Amino acid sequence: MRPCVLRRRPDGLRLQLTRCVSVLALAAALATAPVRAEALDLFGWLPFGSKSSDDEQGQPAVVDPLPYTASLRVSGGPPELETALTGSSELLSQGDRLPSGEAGLIARAVSDFERLVGRLYVEGYYAGTVNIRVAGLDLQQALAAPSLPGPRPVPVTISVDPGPLFTFGTIAITPADDAAQGAGTVFDGASYGLVRGETANSEKILRAERAIVADLKAAGYPFARISRREIVADHDTNRLDVRLSVAAGRAARFGEVSVSGAEATDPDFIVTQAMLPVGGAYSPAEIDRATERLNELGIFSSVRIVPADSITPDGLLPVTIEVSERKRNVIGVGANWSSSEGFGVESYWRRRNLFGRGELLSLEGSVGRIGDNSLSDLEYSARIAFEKPGAFGPQTRFTTSLGARQEVPDAYRSRSITADAFYERDVTDELSVKFGGEVQFADERDVFGNETYLLTGVIGQVTYDTRDDPLNPTKGINALLFAEPAYDIQGANAMLFTRGQISAYRALDDAARFVLAGRLGAGSIIAPSVRSIPAARRFFSGGGGSIRGYAYRNVGPRRNGEVTGGRSFVEASGEIRMKATETIGLVGFVDAGNSFDAMYPDFSQGLKVGVGAGLRYFTPVGPLRFDIAVPLDPEKDDPDFAIYVGLSQAF
């Protein structure tokens, strides 16, 4: 590549561009780089960083701090340009962090010069003048002076004349080798955002280069590059001519896959789970998918797939999977609270990578409805679970568990023991299926009296998930279909459990600060009667995750004033989510639904509706949620309002 030719003029470090290679990247990087980074401060608690004790702001103590005042004057250009320049200036944005002595102030001014020139390029101004004066001296004089004259704080003035706005002139993107010529990619500038007559932002050129190289790599050329870049600013016509030469290099196929960094994990297991198509055409998308598959195992803190530096004579490109393993033993605790359901705690112990092939052993326990209840009225559960990924080949899992629990909502008391086993398969990145069976013994007391059940069932489940973030989605859908034919050996009754749910999300603006979220769910149990179904398996509505505002599992058909649970249900929720700041969000919502005695929803019985609003505090591990909801048609045991606190969005 040809180097940049920059001409410096004596009238205050004026910078003009004639031919440039790396200055565009440097300019964009300096102009857009964050000026300051902080650790997450969660109400004084720093879970992902710590403040230094050097000063109250957590910044390192400055030796010989030098106070100064800074001002910016922009001659011409739109108001948005001055805002952009102000945001790029360290002298202005970091005025509360004093530099170390005169040398520190001058260094900050020199850095600002580069940043401001870079911002001008980003905005499309290539003939601008940036003049920074420190204590009345221009930068060249300040650099040569033994000390800065004048008063303290030191006055610093920044003068910017952006000059004319440049537009694109000639755009030429040509292949530099036979491979690029025959790669099948059409190097049309307009298709890469370089359009004659449009504003000549430097970022557009960089984006175009990245897109061209990405297209060639996607076509199987791992070492594609921009071999020559020629940028010419014509100051007579205020046009920027762009000429790029593209070298594709050799096409490659995936070669031998090796592993580094594995200690407890079997390297062959890693290679198998990555599913890189050895012998197939090189593809960055395949590398991304393989990386995601390995990360989803949950046993690595980092995964990198690194291609070799060269292609073998037979066209193969070896790759190395570099992994760093996570700690194998994990202990976790959690808590939740709502005004209608009380306080709950849970904990777990997990052993990752049990036998070196991604296995997971979990011991889990929880206690719920803690409050005024006696010990016998608490809800609790205990469970041991085992998961083996890749049990039947890549993208499959085998899971099994044994658990016991007690549930004590207002409508019933249930004690149960459940054993299950499942085969799971990821059909695509979005679609997964699950098949298996379970055996459950339940001892229950409800409005019908005491009953025992011994259920055996065969379970099938299909999940489709395109959400961009499971904890805080802004687009996509999440759908689930579940079916279980079961037989109660105690009561000699056959039954079929079915349910489905779909949630959808849509951002109303490009920044996803306003998001509409909706959820619809329904279910049916084909059984002789409500009484023949275990109470814990009937459909109840109300409470968090259902119809907020109503008491937990307190919505549905009643007998002698007590909720019995139903053989069908339907529920719907709608939310408008607004991100007020980077850390604070507001939510308004409405929930509606009901459970019915009939095997299919009977809308003649009407729907219960709850409305409310919520607050979100966004953290790196998901939004902290605080909701308050009011039931519009409360019945016995329903509160006047209910409060819910948890982690992640409601759905």
Side-chain angles (χ1 to χ4, degrees):
M1 289 187 181
R2 301 179 61 180
C4 299
V5 179
L6 304 177
R7 182 166 64 251
R8 295 182 183 270
R9 295 188 174 181
D11 54 339
L13 288 188
R14 178 183 173 96
L15 182 64
Q16 288 190 340
L17 171 67
T18 54
R19 297 177 185 269
C20 180
V21 178
S22 60
V23 71
L24 293 179
L26 175 65
L30 288 174
T32 59
V35 173
R36 189 172 179 175
E38 299 279 0
L40 171 68
D41 187 341
L42 185 58
F43 303 115
W45 173 54
L46 293 165
F48 299 96
S50 59
K51 290 183 180 180
S52 167
S53 59
D54 293 323
D55 64 16
E56 294 180 356
Q57 288 74 37
Q59 301 296 330
V62 176
V63 178
D64 187 25
L66 180 65
Y68 71 92
T69 60
S71 62
L72 170 69
R73 181 175 62 85
V74 181
S75 302
E80 295 81 7
L81 178 61
E82 182 172 350
T83 301
L85 291 169
T86 300
S88 298
S89 169
E90 288 185 328
L91 287 167
L92 295 172
S93 61
Q94 296 198 40
D96 59 335
R97 296 184 60 199
L98 299 180
S100 178
E102 295 181 353
L105 178 59
I106 295 173
R108 185 175 292 186
V110 171
S111 173
D112 244 28
F113 174 80
E114 302 288 353
R115 285 178 172 272
L116 294 173
V117 169
R119 174 50 66 179
L120 289 175
Y121 287 0
V122 169
E123 301 295 332
Y125 297 91
Y126 295 88
T129 299
V130 176
N131 193 303
I132 301 178
R133 303 185 71 84
V134 181
L137 306 176
D138 65 35
L139 283 183
Q140 290 176 332
Q141 293 172 329
L143 285 167
S147 62
L148 296 177
R152 300 294 186 269
V154 177
V156 179
T157 60
I158 307 170
S159 300
V160 179
D161 180 1
L165 182 67
F166 277 61
T167 57
F168 285 119
T170 300
I171 305 294
I173 306 174
T174 58
D177 55 17
D178 293 340
Q181 182 73 44
T185 300
V186 178
F187 298 121
D188 174 32
S191 64
Y192 290 103
L194 303 180
V195 180
R196 183 182 180 90
E198 290 191 356
T199 301
N201 307 78
S202 62
E203 284 185 337
K204 290 181 179 179
I205 302 173
L206 298 175
R207 282 198 300 267
E209 292 181 358
R210 289 192 294 266
I212 292 168
V213 171
D215 284 349
L216 284 171
K217 289 185 175 182
Y221 297 88
F223 300 112
R225 61 190 177 89
I226 303 298
S227 61
R228 180 184 177 90
R229 181 195 295 113
E230 188 175 277
I231 313 296
V232 179
D234 188 334
H235 296 274
D236 294 329
T237 62
N238 299 327
R239 291 188 178 275
L240 193 74
D241 297 332
V242 180
R243 295 179 177 85
L244 304 176
S245 294
V246 183
R250 294 176 61 196
R253 293 172 288 118
F254 282 111
E256 179 185 3
V257 181
S258 58
V259 175
S260 70
E263 297 178 1
T265 312
D266 183 348
D268 290 339
F269 171 76
I270 296 174
V271 173
T272 300
Q273 291 297 115
M275 294 179 61
L276 285 170
V278 175
Y282 171 84
S283 169
E286 289 287 353
I287 290 178
D288 291 342
R289 283 192 288 269
T291 303
E292 183 177 357
R293 291 186 196 106
L294 294 176
N295 278 319
E296 287 175 349
L297 293 173
I299 59 177
F300 302 119
S301 59
S302 68
V303 176
R304 293 180 64 238
I305 299 180
V306 183
D309 294 332
S310 60
I311 302 170
T312 63
D314 54 356
L316 297 177
L317 182 65
V319 296
T320 301
I321 302 176
E322 299 179 352
V323 299
S324 177
E325 297 179 345
R326 302 173 70 181
K327 292 181 178 180
R328 301 177 71 184
N329 293 313
V330 184
I331 297 176
V333 295
N336 59 79
W337 177 82
S338 79
S339 60
S340 62
E341 298 163 35
F343 184 70
V345 295
E346 60 184 39
S347 64
Y348 61 83
W349 171 85
R350 292 174 181 167
R351 172 70 170 181
R352 297 190 184 110
N353 221 0
L354 187 63
F355 304 120
R357 296 181 68 87
E359 301 88 353
L360 178 66
L361 178 65
S362 300
L363 298 177
E364 306 166 0
S366 67
V367 180
R369 298 178 70 84
I370 301 172
D372 297 332
N373 296 329
S374 64
L375 292 178
S376 62
D377 290 333
L378 295 178
E379 292 192 337
Y380 55 80
S381 68
R383 180 173 177 264
I384 180 171
F386 175 77
E387 176 181 325
K388 180 174 177 56
F392 308 98
Q395 296 186 287
T396 68
R397 288 173 298 281
F398 170 76
T399 64
T400 184
S401 69
L402 175 65
R405 66 184 306 168
Q406 172 173 280
E407 297 178 83
V408 195
D410 294 335
Y412 64 87
R413 177 193 299 272
S414 172
R415 295 186 177 96
S416 63
I417 298 176
T418 304
D420 58 38
F422 294 100
Y423 162 85
E424 301 178 27
R425 179 177 179 83
D426 297 327
V427 181
T428 67
D429 292 341
E430 298 82 20
L431 181 66
S432 63
V433 295
K434 178 178 179 179
F435 298 102
E438 70 172 356
V439 178
Q440 182 182 68
F441 174 79
D443 180 8
E444 299 186 337
R445 186 183 70 214
D446 64 357
V447 66
F448 297 112
N450 292 322
E451 297 284 350
T452 59
Y453 305 85
L454 180 59
L455 257 63
T456 61
V458 178
I459 295 174
Q461 180 174 297
V462 179
T463 304
Y464 183 74
D465 189 353
T466 63
R467 293 173 296 175
D468 57 341
D469 181 351
L471 295 179
N472 186 31
T474 62
K475 63 180 180 180
I477 64 174
N478 183 33
L480 178 146
L481 289 174
F482 172 92
E484 179 187 4
Y487 184 76
D488 175 21
I489 298 174
Q490 291 281 99
N493 291 315
M495 55 196 77
L496 174 65
F497 299 90
T498 63
R499 70 175 186 273
Q501 180 173 291
I502 184 170
S503 303
Y505 311 87
R506 181 179 178 85
L508 302 181
D509 61 313
D510 292 339
R513 303 192 75 88
F514 294 88
V515 176
L516 287 178
R519 176 180 60 181
L520 177 64
S524 173
I525 305 174
I526 299 175
S529 65
V530 169
R531 184 171 183 172
S532 65
I533 307 167
R537 299 293 300 270
R538 300 171 198 158
F539 293 128
F540 294 82
S541 298
S546 177
I547 312 171
R548 283 166 285 186
Y550 293 85
Y552 177 61
R553 293 196 163 194
N554 198 50
V555 174
R558 294 177 181 265
R559 178 187 175 96
N560 299 327
E562 300 294 331
V563 179
T564 64
R567 288 184 288 178
S568 62
F569 83 97
V570 64
E571 293 176 353
S573 298
E575 290 192 351
I576 175 69
R577 301 170 180 173
M578 180 185 72
K579 198 169 186 179
T581 69
E582 290 305 309
T583 56
I584 300 296
L586 303 174
V587 173
F589 60 84
V590 57
D591 298 334
N594 209 338
S595 298
F596 310 95
D597 183 83
M599 286 188 289
Y600 304 101
D602 181 5
F603 292 100
S604 64
Q605 298 183 24
L607 299 177
K608 298 290 187 179
V609 179
V611 297
L615 184 70
R616 304 291 184 267
Y617 183 81
F618 298 102
T619 76
V621 294
L624 293 174
R625 171 168 47 94
F626 178 90
D627 287 339
I628 182 168
V630 176
L632 299 188
D633 186 19
E635 293 196 39
K636 177 186 175 183
D637 297 325
D638 286 326
D640 295 330
F641 64 91
I643 298 173
Y644 306 90
V645 179
L647 181 65
S648 82
Q649 297 285 6
F651 60 89

